[in-house]
Amino acid sequence: MSLAVQHLAVLDAAHRGDPAALAQLLRLCQPDIRRYAQRNCLVGDVDDAVQEALLVLSRRLSSVRMLAAFSGWLFQVVRRECHRLGRAALGHDPWDDERAEQWLASQDTAGLRLELVNALESLPADYLQVVLLRDFAEMSIAEIAADIGQSSAAVKSRLHRARGMAREYLIG
């Protein structure tokens, strides 16, 4: 059995409420959560963000509707916790709009295009699809939902997450 299949089996068992599988899932996720927190949190907040993300994972795993969206959900939990801790510490806001504007102003057009392409390529396939259909093909939410066979709410959620991930890639 491949490693990815084993992880999916553990995730599925934990999602169904198996406490041993949940403990194993927490052990499996901790290194990824820590790496993500190290890139997105202030240095002093990394351990707190990891701890809180693991706690949220253990408490709210059953609320994840699609297990395919698990990693995106988990990284969003870590990102939110880094954001919350950053705001609390010295008023630092890593998602400051002024910072984004300064970054945009400092980029030349060619460099900005290259960074945007890299940000889009970093997105998971289902997120990239929604961004391309909405922002480049200029389809409506209802058209995208019909095209990919998802609800409008799911399309809006993916689009919001994809844009946040792209923004994080660009200025994070």
Side-chain angles (χ1 to χ4, degrees), residues 33-34 36-53 78-94:
I33 292 171
R34 179 166 295 286
Y36 191 82
Q38 286 171 333
R39 287 194 323 254
N40 292 282
C41 289
L42 297 171
V43 173
D45 294 338
V46 170
D47 290 334
D48 292 336
V50 170
Q51 181 93 13
E52 185 64 26
V78 179
R79 184 184 65 81
R80 282 184 186 148
E81 189 57 27
C82 288
H83 188 183
R84 185 188 68 75
L85 290 168
R87 275 194 323 260
L90 305 173
H92 172 75
D93 187 354

Side-chain angles (χ1 to χ4, degrees), residues 78-145:
V78 179
R79 184 184 65 81
R80 282 184 186 148
E81 189 57 27
C82 288
H83 188 183
R84 185 188 68 75
L85 290 168
R87 275 194 323 260
L90 305 173
H92 172 75
D93 187 354
W95 299 99
D96 186 6
D97 287 335
E98 185 176 319
R99 182 173 160 222
E101 292 297 324
Q102 289 173 350
W103 180 83
L104 281 172
S106 71
Q107 299 295 312
D108 64 357
T109 304
L112 188 56
R113 285 184 181 152
L114 181 60
E115 285 295 316
L116 182 58
V117 167
N118 290 336
L120 291 174
E121 287 179 346
S122 74
L123 295 175
D126 54 338
Y127 287 24
L128 176 60
Q129 177 187 29
V130 172
V131 168
L132 293 176
L133 292 174
R134 179 69 175 157
D135 295 333
F136 292 93
E138 297 181 352
M139 293 174 68
S140 70
I141 297 295
E143 291 170 330
I144 297 169

